[in-house]
Amino acid sequence: MSGIELYVWQDREVRFDVPVSALDLRPGEQLIDSIPNVEDTKGNNGDSGSLLVTNLRLIWISTKYPKTNLSIGYNCIVNTSVKLGNTKLKGNTQELKVITKYNSTRFEFIFTYTVTNNANLFTIIQGVHRAYETSKLYRDLKLRGAITRNKELILLPQEQIYNKVNGVWNLSSDQGSLGTFFLTNVRLVWHANLAENFNVSIPFLQMKSIRVRDSK
């Protein structure tokens, strides 16, 4: 797998008018739903397109001009809301407002479903984004989190502990803290024995290399 494929940008960036090939699903990305007749009301008012919902991002593609498109990673989404809106194509209907933040810049997107009387259509997007937010420990490195209780690892759904190693030092320069190491099918977790909140959770997805060397 090339370096480009290894870098997962799809859930962590907001991109405008990308080459159509960049909208192809990357390995591990799954299409959850495809919603036709959706207008990008704020950016392309009057232009109908399709809104694709994957497990990593929202994709909007103009029906007439596929080069006019959006890719919105879930990690950039600050808030979503559904309310009554107005479109040039169909008048009053339901709209999805998506507030994002990427590279210190905030973007607001408004998507309007141009078929009336379908108020619950956008709720799947809110559900998928909520699932993404609550599953970050599977993907993201976490420092000083609430990941243990009474010196035992709080397991994620379908997570299994393969090994627990006591007496593992977390070293920094010439100092270190003595703790416990957990190896699971998802991640490596270490916590200090004297302070459980001094910990780190490292998913295998975040590991580029692993080396063994002698310590001082």
Side-chain angles (χ1 to χ4, degrees), residues 44-124:
N44 296 280
N45 201 339
D47 190 1
S48 182
S50 296
L51 189 63
L52 310 183
V53 185
T54 84
N55 56 327
L56 297 179
R57 55 179 167 164
L58 293 178
I59 301 171
W60 181 83
I61 309 173
S62 168
T63 301
K64 291 183 178 180
Y65 310 103
K67 291 183 179 180
T68 301
N69 57 65
L70 297 167
S71 176
I72 305 172
Y74 293 139
N75 197 59
C76 301
I77 294 179
V78 177
N79 185 49
T80 64
S81 61
V82 178
K83 66 177 184 179
L84 184 66
N86 185 276
T87 171
K88 288 182 178 180
L89 295 178
K90 288 293 181 178
N92 291 332
T93 184
Q94 292 291 318
E95 71 176 25
L96 170 72
K97 179 182 286 188
V98 181
I99 306 297
T100 68
K101 185 177 181 180
Y102 175 59
N103 282 345
S104 301
T105 302
R106 293 176 69 91
F107 300 99
E108 178 182 278
F109 303 94
I110 298 176
F111 299 104
T112 305
Y113 188 54
T114 58
V115 177
T116 58
N117 301 322
N118 210 327
N120 296 322
L121 189 66
F122 287 136
T123 57
I124 187 173

Side-chain angles (χ1 to χ4, degrees), residues 4-210:
I4 294 177
E5 292 175 322
L6 285 173
Y7 172 56
V8 183
W9 62 267
Q10 285 80 357
D11 66 327
R12 299 180 182 275
E13 296 184 12
V14 175
R15 295 190 179 185
F16 300 85
D17 300 335
V18 299
V20 176
S21 60
L23 302 178
D24 293 341
L25 303 184
R26 64 160 289 113
E29 187 175 15
Q30 298 181 359
L31 179 64
I32 297 172
D33 202 0
S34 177
I35 308 172
N37 305 310
V38 175
E39 176 189 79
D40 176 17
T41 305
K42 190 167 185 179
N44 296 280
N45 201 339
D47 190 1
S48 182
S50 296
L51 189 63
L52 310 183
V53 185
T54 84
N55 56 327
L56 297 179
R57 55 179 167 164
L58 293 178
I59 301 171
W60 181 83
I61 309 173
S62 168
T63 301
K64 291 183 178 180
Y65 310 103
K67 291 183 179 180
T68 301
N69 57 65
L70 297 167
S71 176
I72 305 172
Y74 293 139
N75 197 59
C76 301
I77 294 179
V78 177
N79 185 49
T80 64
S81 61
V82 178
K83 66 177 184 179
L84 184 66
N86 185 276
T87 171
K88 288 182 178 180
L89 295 178
K90 288 293 181 178
N92 291 332
T93 184
Q94 292 291 318
E95 71 176 25
L96 170 72
K97 179 182 286 188
V98 181
I99 306 297
T100 68
K101 185 177 181 180
Y102 175 59
N103 282 345
S104 301
T105 302
R106 293 176 69 91
F107 300 99
E108 178 182 278
F109 303 94
I110 298 176
F111 299 104
T112 305
Y113 188 54
T114 58
V115 177
T116 58
N117 301 322
N118 210 327
N120 296 322
L121 189 66
F122 287 136
T123 57
I124 187 173
I125 297 172
Q126 294 177 305
V128 171
H129 178 243
R130 191 178 304 113
Y132 176 89
E133 287 293 308
T134 56
S135 61
K136 281 189 172 182
L137 282 176
Y138 289 95
R139 303 180 302 273
D140 295 344
L141 186 147
K142 180 72 174 179
L143 295 171
R144 297 181 180 271
I147 57 178
T148 61
R149 183 184 298 117
N150 298 324
K151 297 186 178 181
E152 291 296 329
L153 180 64
I154 300 173
L155 293 176
L156 304 171
Q158 300 184 4
E159 184 177 24
Q160 299 177 5
I161 296 177
Y162 289 158
N163 200 3
K164 177 181 177 181
V165 183
N166 295 310
V168 177
W169 288 89
N170 184 349
L171 300 174
S172 176
S173 299
D174 293 330
Q175 298 179 341
S177 298
L178 185 62
T180 301
F181 205 49
F182 293 92
L183 171 64
T184 82
N185 57 327
V186 175
R187 55 185 172 157
L188 297 178
V189 177
W190 178 90
H191 74 81
N193 290 340
L194 297 179
E196 283 188 67
N197 63 340
F198 182 39
N199 56 53
V200 61
S201 171
I202 312 172
F204 294 120
L205 285 173
Q206 294 291 336
M207 297 182 189
K208 185 175 181 180
S209 64
I210 299 176

